[in-house]
Amino acid sequence: MKKTSLKIVFNGLVGALVLTSCTDLQVNEKDSIVIESTGSGFTAGNPTELLNGLYNDLGVYNDQGNLYSLGQHTSGEMIPPTRGVDWGDNGVWRTLHAHTWDATHSQILNAWNALNSRSYRCEQLLASSPSPVQAAEAKALRALFMHHVMDLWGQVPRRTVDQGVEALPMVMSRSEAFDFIVKDLEEALPNLPKLGPAPINARASKAMANTLLARLYLNKAVYKSAKPEGPYTFDKADMDKVVKYCDAVAADGFALDADFFNPFTAGLSTDKIFTDLQGTPRNRWMMTMHYDQGGFPAEKDGPWNGFTTLAEFYEKFEANDDRRHKAVGFNKGYGGLNKGFLIGQQFREDKTPIIDSRSKDPLVFTKDVPLAGAATNKGIRAIKYHPTDFGKYLILRYSDVYLMKAEAMLRGGDAAGALKMVNDLRKMRKATALATLTADAMWKERGYELYWEGVARTDEVRFGKFNRQYQDIVNLEPYTVLYPIPSTAIASNTNLKQNPGY
């Protein structure tokens, strides 16, 4: 029989790639999988090259849309105002904020494709005779990608390399996917390297796997619930596991950084557990800064004047909380750009007020900001990664681990121990100590520490805050705790079933 080569474009395990034009969004070719196959099945690749490719593609985390937008724009921390025609993009941003998305939403499709395609590349690596360490890293990365799919959609497709071209990927339920992901991480742990804090930590490690296991068990009640919207019952045995995994991360040398903004710089920080490898967090300042705050020599275009925070969220912070604001001073190219929340008059590097080139008025950021028809100065901006000292994008960090442990202790019955942990953190951040720690206060503390880091939606779901009323949210129906399976995915794989409500 003549050997023939068949190229298969494997988009998120489900079929055709759809590109929709919107602000700075595109699914790159690397989001699809091109594999060489023969009539008899899969052809193994070079495991080192495959693993390097997976690490190089961690840039899926630092895009301002897609995965990030699904985890952040749908929360009460961020609003994506349309300013004239800017950021209109056929409503893709506004519908995320208002919770009015549907199964044709471009960013829901793009995130689905990106995560599932990377998960399949882990399958390829595991079938290519990797070393024990490489296999462990592949399983840890597969767990990373799969856990997002489980969290966002509640169903996880999986294609194995021994399946024929015509075979449909099997689909795991949320509960089945939880068990599969936990097994991956538990099997990976013994062979993963023990890595401590470093300026760039872009390799799967024991600390990375333990962080994911802590996150999984903290959310186990959500993932195992018969009703995705809850209510959820948190088992003490699961919370004890969260504490165990968090302690294992600390044992590898990770700890809170006394300087809240230091983990987002290029320097060493005890907070950095897992970072991007190739990309930069440039999108994080470009997506929020005003057009006229640019001029940095490395930039070829000005900032995009996009996303802001809601006044309701900003006003939760105490004025003396270090996480709210840090004065940077005046620096070449970005003038008086500070860290934290930017509000009020903005300045150039010569200390003169910036004038909005469009309105010709002083550039004064205001608390109020409408979802549609916003003036160019409306909305409080947020800067964690600063263009003068940024490092790699943080995917997992210890502050999250620390607060996961405190939350698990609270849910597990040790309210006093959890309160001490939270107050130790608040003292470090110069915030007032709490007299008691409620679930509501625990949720707020995570917001103070982890704002704009893409975890807000998952937190809101776990705390029962996702379907609450706040500015410009329209749809409060409980089914929105899960996203719809993209229409093209269902058309390509009949093993997928659309989530209720869509």
Side-chain angles (χ1 to χ4, degrees), residues 109-381:
L109 172 63
N110 292 347
W112 171 271
N113 283 342
L115 291 167
N116 283 310
S117 64
R118 284 161 175 77
S119 179
Y120 180 69
R121 288 164 62 188
C122 294
E123 300 276 354
Q124 290 181 294
L125 171 53
L126 288 166
S128 297
S129 301
S131 70
V133 174
Q134 290 172 327
E137 291 177 75
K139 287 186 175 184
L141 290 171
R142 180 169 64 180
L144 178 68
F145 302 135
M146 275 191 173
H147 104 277
H148 289 300
V149 180
M150 174 186 65
D151 180 68
L152 296 169
W153 289 279
Q155 301 174 52
V156 180
R158 183 189 177 207
R159 179 186 286 279
T160 56
V161 297
D162 57 352
Q163 284 187 270
V165 175
E166 300 301 323
L168 297 176
M170 56 88 68
V171 176
M172 290 183 278
S173 69
R174 209 177 201 185
S175 179
E176 290 169 337
F178 177 89
D179 295 339
F180 183 89
I181 296 165
V182 167
K183 182 173 180 288
D184 252 0
L185 291 168
E186 289 176 342
E187 289 177 352
L189 262 172
N191 288 314
L192 287 172
K194 179 179 178 179
L195 302 176
I200 300 174
N201 242 345
R203 185 182 179 191
S205 65
K206 293 184 186 297
M208 177 262 207
N210 282 317
T211 299
L212 285 178
L213 283 164
R215 180 179 290 179
L216 286 162
Y217 277 100
L218 187 63
N219 288 281
K220 183 180 177 182
V222 178
Y223 301 146
K224 290 285 186 175
S225 175
K227 297 176 65 177
E229 70 275 16
Y232 314 117
T233 301
F234 296 88
D235 188 88
K236 185 180 185 303
D238 295 330
M239 298 303 99
D240 289 344
K241 287 184 178 180
V242 175
V243 171
K244 180 188 74 170
Y245 291 125
C246 291
D247 286 345
V249 176
D252 283 350
F254 296 93
L256 292 172
D257 196 315
D259 182 343
F260 175 68
F261 291 100
N262 185 51
F264 308 99
T265 73
L268 176 65
S269 172
T270 54
D271 193 76
K272 297 181 181 182
I273 295 173
F274 191 57
T275 70
D276 183 17
L277 178 63
Q278 292 285 3
T280 75
R282 175 179 181 267
N283 286 4
R284 292 297 178 267
W285 66 80
M286 293 291 282
M287 71 186 189
T288 188
M289 287 170 54
H290 188 272
Y291 316 112
D292 295 313
Q293 289 182 293
F296 192 58
E299 304 291 1
K300 296 180 180 179
D301 57 347
W304 307 328
N305 200 29
F307 314 142
T308 78
T309 200
L310 292 164
E312 175 187 337
F313 180 69
Y314 172 77
E315 289 169 350
K316 292 179 182 178
F317 286 77
E318 293 180 336
N320 59 326
D321 193 324
D322 279 348
R323 297 169 290 196
R324 189 186 193 195
H325 178 79
K326 180 178 181 178
V328 175
F330 291 83
N331 46 75
K332 185 175 181 181
Y334 275 114
L337 184 70
N338 293 312
K339 296 182 179 182
F341 295 107
L342 309 182
I343 186 169
Q345 178 66 58
Q346 303 301 298
F347 295 89
R348 298 207 176 278
E349 61 193 64
D350 62 2
K351 302 184 181 181
T352 58
I354 296 176
I355 303 300
D356 187 327
S357 61
R358 299 194 182 187
S359 69
K360 308 304 180 186
D361 295 323
L363 182 58
V364 179
F365 292 148
T366 65
K367 288 183 181 180
D368 64 299
V369 56
L371 182 58
T376 56
N377 68 314
K378 293 294 184 180
I380 303 166
R381 318 307 165 93

Side-chain angles (χ1 to χ4, degrees), residues 384-403:
K384 278 188 164 178
Y385 299 92
H386 197 279
T388 61
D389 63 3
F390 64 91
K392 294 297 182 182
Y393 185 73
L394 273 169
I395 299 171
L396 300 172
R397 70 187 192 99
Y398 185 76
S399 286
D400 187 7
V401 173
Y402 184 90
L403 288 170

Side-chain angles (χ1 to χ4, degrees), residues 174 221-234 460-467 478-482:
R174 209 177 201 185
V222 178
Y223 301 146
K224 290 285 186 175
S225 175
K227 297 176 65 177
E229 70 275 16
Y232 314 117
T233 301
F234 296 88
E460 288 186 4
V461 171
R462 186 174 67 257
F463 281 95
K465 303 286 188 179
F466 189 68
N467 301 111
Y479 70 81
T480 57
V481 297
L482 288 177

